[in-house]
Amino acid sequence: MGKYRDQGLFHDMSSLDSFNSCYSGLDLKDPKGNYSILASVPAIFLVNTEELNGRKRPETWDQLLSDDFINSIALPVEDLDLFNAVLLTLYKEKGSEAIKSLGRNMLSSMHPAQMVKNSGKSEDKPAVTVLPWFFTKMVFPGTSLEVVWPTDGAILSPVFIAAKKDKKNELEDIVHYFESESVGEILRDKGYFPSVNPNIDNRIPKDNKFRFLGWDFIYNNDITEIINICMDLFNKAVI
């Protein structure tokens, strides 16, 4: 997509002057005016307490990457948008060793729906699953599965519109519709994708933080190249 963005084909047609308070402290608004951010997909942890075997459940990304969870984690490799967001954010903040640790600690690679569905059936059960917040709503009460929102922040994969600048007359109303309160409530209730609309109650506790890759990193780096570097580091570290 970068080559189209760099040609100036896109334009942020959002009408929102501010974003939802749940994103306080994050600058989600695209400073170069290419993308219209609508919501996000947060990556959180699903912990199987029966598989901890005396280990403390991880509350942070650093704890998840520690030696305690070697060959113990399920990752949403098939969910490319979210997995790439996790790779890029960890690489930016913690460097190549974090990506190697993530690969070393991976036990299985499944789509998030498979992770929840098979959590109690597989012989090799992961102690921790990284997955979108939405899929935790499939977990039945009374099981050994516990939802953990990382205390250092759920990594975000933004939900956005890239609208063609030369189609502004045709597309502006559509963008405004998708950022409206009515659609924001659908995103919140049906997808558990926190809306950026400031008038939506996303029902997220104030203590629940987010982590965003950041526009400076996005615009100052070749993201495709960095993803390839991360995947190489990750795959070489998988046990």
Side-chain angles (χ1 to χ4, degrees):
M1 259 184 97
K3 65 179 180 179
Y4 300 110
R5 179 200 67 203
D6 294 341
Q7 292 172 25
L9 297 184
F10 302 139
H11 178 63
D12 178 7
M13 300 178 193
S14 170
S15 63
L16 298 178
D17 295 324
S18 61
F19 281 176
N20 195 281
S21 60
C22 76
Y23 296 111
S24 178
L26 296 181
D27 193 3
L28 286 182
K29 184 77 172 176
D30 179 0
K32 293 195 175 183
N34 290 302
Y35 305 112
S36 303
I37 306 297
L38 304 176
S40 69
V41 182
I44 55 85
F45 306 157
L46 187 64
V47 178
N48 188 336
T49 57
E50 290 182 352
E51 299 300 320
L52 287 176
N53 298 323
R55 295 171 290 188
K56 293 183 178 179
R57 75 177 196 175
E59 303 283 347
T60 68
W61 291 93
D62 281 340
Q63 291 171 2
L64 188 74
L65 298 174
S66 72
D67 293 348
D68 289 341
F69 291 97
I70 293 175
N71 205 30
S72 299
I73 300 171
L75 295 170
V77 177
E78 299 299 321
D79 188 345
L80 290 179
D81 288 340
L82 189 69
F83 186 61
N84 286 342
V86 170
L87 287 179
L88 290 166
T89 304
L90 293 178
Y91 181 79
K92 173 200 170 186
E93 297 182 358
K94 303 178 184 299
S96 59
E97 290 304 313
I99 306 303
K100 293 178 184 178
S101 296
L102 192 67
R104 176 202 62 189
N105 287 8
M106 185 178 76
L107 170 66
S108 61
S109 166
M110 294 184 287
H111 187 275
Q114 293 174 292
M115 294 178 188
V116 175
K117 183 178 178 181
N118 298 329
S119 60
K121 299 178 181 179
S122 173
E123 292 183 4
D124 294 323
K125 301 175 188 176
V128 186
T129 297
V130 177
L131 76 179
W133 185 33
F134 166 78
F135 286 98
T136 65
K137 306 308 171 182
M138 298 168 61
V139 177
F140 290 106
T143 70
S144 60
L145 301 177
E146 294 182 356
V147 177
V148 175
W149 191 291
T151 58
D152 51 351
I155 292 177
L156 295 184
S157 175
V159 177
F160 64 91
I161 290 179
K164 290 184 177 180
K165 184 186 299 184
D166 62 0
K167 301 290 185 180
K168 183 176 180 180
N169 290 339
E170 301 168 48
L171 298 178
E172 193 168 36
D173 287 344
I174 296 175
V175 174
H176 293 173
Y177 170 71
F178 276 106
E179 68 182 7
S180 67
E181 291 182 41
S182 58
V183 173
E185 290 172 352
I186 293 172
L187 291 169
R188 176 198 65 193
D189 295 339
K190 303 301 183 182
Y192 286 86
F193 305 149
S195 169
V196 300
N197 190 301
N199 298 319
I200 299 293
D201 179 4
N202 283 308
R203 300 168 186 165
I204 296 175
K206 290 185 178 180
D207 291 338
N208 288 12
K209 302 176 183 177
F210 294 108
R211 294 165 79 164
F212 173 53
L213 184 61
W215 293 109
D216 286 344
F217 189 87
I218 292 170
Y219 281 119
N220 294 327
N221 292 277
D222 184 333
I223 296 300
T224 300
E225 180 183 0
I226 294 179
I227 289 173
N228 290 334
I229 291 171
C230 289
M231 285 305 303
D232 186 57
L233 291 167
F234 177 84
N235 288 328
K236 288 180 178 178
V238 173
I239 297 176

